[in-house]
Amino acid sequence: MPTHTWPSPLFPTTGISASYWTDTILHDTTNPEDSLYVINGNLDEENVDAGFTVYAEHTQKGSHVRVHQAARTVDLDYFDGSFAAKSSGTVDSDTSHVIPGCAVRWYQPWVGPVLFMWSVGWGNNADADTEISALFLTLDGTVEDDTRRNLRRSIPTGGTIQNGGACNRVYSGHWFEPDMSVGYHDAALIVACNGPPHTRLYSGHIIAVPFNVTLS
Amino acid sequence: MTWNFNRFSDGDGLDNLSTELTAASTWFNAIDGDGVRRGCFNLHHGLDVLSTTGTGSTSGSTERTYDHATFSTALEWSGYATDGATDAGANNPSTFDRIVLGHPDTSAGATATISGMTNRVGMDNAASAAQKQSCLIVLGNVQVTQVNVGALSDVFVVLCLQYRINVSDWYTIDHSEVHLSVEDHIADSSPSGYERIDFDVPLLGIVTPALVTDNGDTPGSDSVTEVRICVSMRGTGTFGGSEGIRINRWNLTAIGPFSEDV
């Protein structure tokens, strides 16, 4: 760091009593630019040459971004009776299940945006056009409806099932929550079904990435 | 090199303070980057990871239908011969490829902007983008619910990400293009009317200064102002009038600028 620029003026040189700058300037927490705020380590781009490059080693690990994740490999089978209300359009605790290994709980250390990414393999053996398996993201128990994905077998609209076999897909989704508060939060993928006798979930994971910034 | 900063108290002279500060300044300026305390730039350089003008997200849950008319008119262009394709001809999707991939500034392109999926984001701060060699990461999710292949065969739904320069020309992020086979994702491989696909397509793209340069713009002065997801259809045959794509639920997010060289 070749050239350091002090706050200007750092201290008055005449006409001010010593008690003034010890009590007011040095220790005035409301006016840090005139105190030892900079000396004490609060450097910013004003204190370095234009050509000085800030590399990763100049920042603390976890100060800009953090990552939390959960994952699993085991297959999970859900049958029609697993969902008491059997309503894919209304998702609540009676009609859905949190997917094990696709849920994270983390401490949000700052107010800021969080990016969620996930991937789940899934399939069902629906035998009617109205039989649906559905996946959603929930944040602190609230369903984010735009993340919903429905799964049906290949059936012409209004038609009948053409042949047997299951329909398998992969849902690799994302969600950007712009303003999450400080504290503990939960993000979970949930599965709900309406009709398919059997819904199977394959390997899956979820990742939460909190960014330490303020969006405007 | 060490420096012991003397504490001050009432009654100390200003000359003593000046002497101490001169010594402090000399000591501080002598250290190099290696002497900087880890974390000392936390407060002010975290913002470069994700700027206030570089991030946006949108989503929706309304089912949209894009029928053959959306694409057939736009297919009536000639060009792309140098890319290995030939003139598509009117309403004939059989002889072209790369209908999304390409340069929309030279052709209308057979694409449709999915409603609600244009998002103003990006490198509004052009100077910052140039200095930091920043890039924009774009994430997209689209669920293709149903497709009617109509009179076509070997039908693919084509999706891609595009970015806009200075609220003017749109460009495709080439590597984001995805071709989804219809026949491969229905039960009997014999489409009839609108067939359910229920296929979620993830899209991922990155807008770099090099990509902006390749498309004829200048990263240091031209800003990436918007991103969007486009959809198209390709196949063999001639449009019969019933072809269409239905899309429901999408998510589009762009975050940046990220630094490329750190």
Side-chain angles (χ1 to χ4, degrees):
Chain A
M1 188 161 56
T3 302
H4 177 263
T5 304
W6 298 107
S8 178
L10 181 61
F11 293 104
T13 56
T14 59
I16 298 178
S17 67
S19 62
Y20 176 81
W21 50 256
T22 53
D23 296 342
T24 303
I25 298 178
L26 285 178
H27 304 299
D28 183 2
T29 57
T30 65
N31 192 20
E33 290 80 7
D34 288 343
S35 70
L36 293 181
Y37 191 73
V38 172
I39 291 178
N40 286 331
N42 284 283
L43 303 176
D44 61 24
E45 62 273 18
E46 300 298 326
N47 302 117
V48 297
D49 275 354
F52 183 79
T53 302
V54 178
Y55 292 103
E57 60 265 30
H58 297 133
T59 61
Q60 287 176 315
K61 184 181 293 183
S63 58
H64 296 160
V65 61
R66 298 185 180 185
V67 177
H68 308 273
Q69 73 157 359
R72 65 151 224 289
T73 57
V74 67
D75 291 349
L76 298 172
D77 292 308
Y78 297 88
F79 298 94
D80 197 19
S82 303
F83 305 93
K86 292 202 309 180
S87 173
S88 62
T90 301
V91 178
D92 55 31
S93 58
D94 291 332
T95 60
S96 65
H97 294 289
V98 171
I99 302 172
C102 292
V104 288
R105 178 173 172 81
W106 79 101
Y107 181 77
Q108 176 76 10
W110 49 66
V111 176
V114 180
L115 176 67
F116 301 93
M117 294 176 285
W118 61 85
S119 182
V120 182
W122 59 325
N124 72 20
N125 64 345
D127 53 16
D129 186 43
T130 56
E131 295 184 350
I132 302 170
S133 303
L135 292 179
F136 303 78
L137 174 72
T138 61
L139 292 180
D140 296 325
T142 300
V143 172
E144 301 294 349
D145 189 67
D146 291 344
T147 65
R148 174 177 175 158
R149 292 297 184 270
N150 293 330
L151 181 63
R152 286 172 271 218
R153 278 202 289 177
S154 174
I155 305 165
T157 303
T160 56
I161 186 68
Q162 296 185 345
N163 59 17
C167 176
N168 293 314
R169 295 286 184 266
V170 175
Y171 180 19
S172 297
H174 85 276
W175 182 255
F176 187 80
E177 189 67 24
D179 190 24
M180 298 206 75
S181 61
V182 173
Y184 283 97
H185 293 280
D186 298 289
L189 294 180
I190 61 174
V191 57
C193 299
N194 179 21
H198 184 190
T199 298
R200 172 167 289 184
L201 303 180
Y202 305 100
S203 58
H205 73 271
I206 187 170
I207 300 173
V209 186
F211 292 98
N212 186 10
V213 296
T214 300
L215 302 178
S216 61
Chain B
M1 184 171 63
T2 60
W3 168 56
N4 295 314
F5 191 84
N6 291 327
R7 293 183 177 278
F8 300 101
S9 60
D10 286 355
D12 283 349
L14 295 177
D15 289 344
N16 291 342
L17 175 61
S18 176
T19 300
E20 288 294 338
L21 291 177
T22 300
S25 178
T26 302
W27 171 82
F28 203 94
N29 287 334
I31 64 176
D32 202 352
D34 291 340
V36 175
R37 177 170 62 90
R38 184 178 183 92
C40 68
F41 291 104
N42 284 354
L43 284 179
H44 296 274
H45 287 274
L47 294 178
D48 286 341
V49 176
L50 193 72
S51 84
T52 54
T53 58
T55 299
S57 184
T58 186
S59 63
S61 60
T62 303
E63 186 170 75
R64 312 273 185 181
T65 298
Y66 301 89
D67 64 18
H68 75 286
T70 305
F71 309 113
S72 60
T73 301
L75 288 175
E76 297 176 30
W77 87 87
S78 59
Y80 294 165
T82 56
D83 294 325
T86 57
D87 183 3
N91 297 330
N92 181 1
S94 64
T95 58
F96 66 90
D97 62 5
R98 299 161 65 93
I99 59 173
V100 175
L101 182 61
H103 303 282
D105 60 329
T106 59
S107 167
T111 69
T113 302
I114 298 175
S115 301
M117 298 187 70
T118 298
N119 197 15
R120 182 173 175 81
V121 297
M123 303 172 188
D124 279 351
N125 187 342
S128 175
Q131 291 169 4
K132 304 297 183 184
Q133 287 293 293
S134 298
C135 57
L136 196 64
I137 295 175
V138 188
L139 303 169
N141 282 99
V142 179
Q143 188 176 45
V144 179
T145 55
Q146 299 182 61
V147 179
N148 186 342
V149 302
L152 305 180
S153 60
D154 298 327
V155 175
F156 290 78
V157 176
V158 186
L159 294 146
C160 75
L161 300 170
Q162 293 189 340
Y163 70 91
R164 196 177 196 187
I165 289 289
N166 300 331
V167 201
S168 180
D169 294 332
W170 288 95
Y171 297 94
T172 297
I173 304 174
D174 297 355
H175 57 266
S176 71
E177 193 178 67
V178 171
H179 295 244
L180 174 65
S181 168
V182 176
E183 282 90 340
D184 286 351
H185 294 97
I186 60 176
D188 61 357
S189 299
S190 179
S192 174
Y194 271 98
E195 292 269 6
R196 293 205 179 279
I197 294 285
D198 281 351
F199 199 95
D200 180 72
V201 180
L203 301 167
L204 176 63
I206 182 169
V207 183
T208 63
L211 180 59
V212 172
T213 301
D214 287 346
N215 285 329
D217 296 301
T218 305
S221 56
D222 296 319
S223 298
V224 177
T225 52
E226 292 167 83
V227 296
R228 68 181 179 183
I229 297 176
C230 289
V231 61
S232 187
M233 172 186 279
R234 73 173 173 89
T236 300
T238 300
F239 278 117
S242 60
E243 296 79 7
I245 299 169
R246 288 177 178 165
I247 286 171
N248 192 9
R249 290 190 172 82
W250 58 83
N251 308 92
L252 173 65
T253 297
I255 53 178
F258 285 86
S259 178
E260 274 193 316
D261 57 355
V262 175

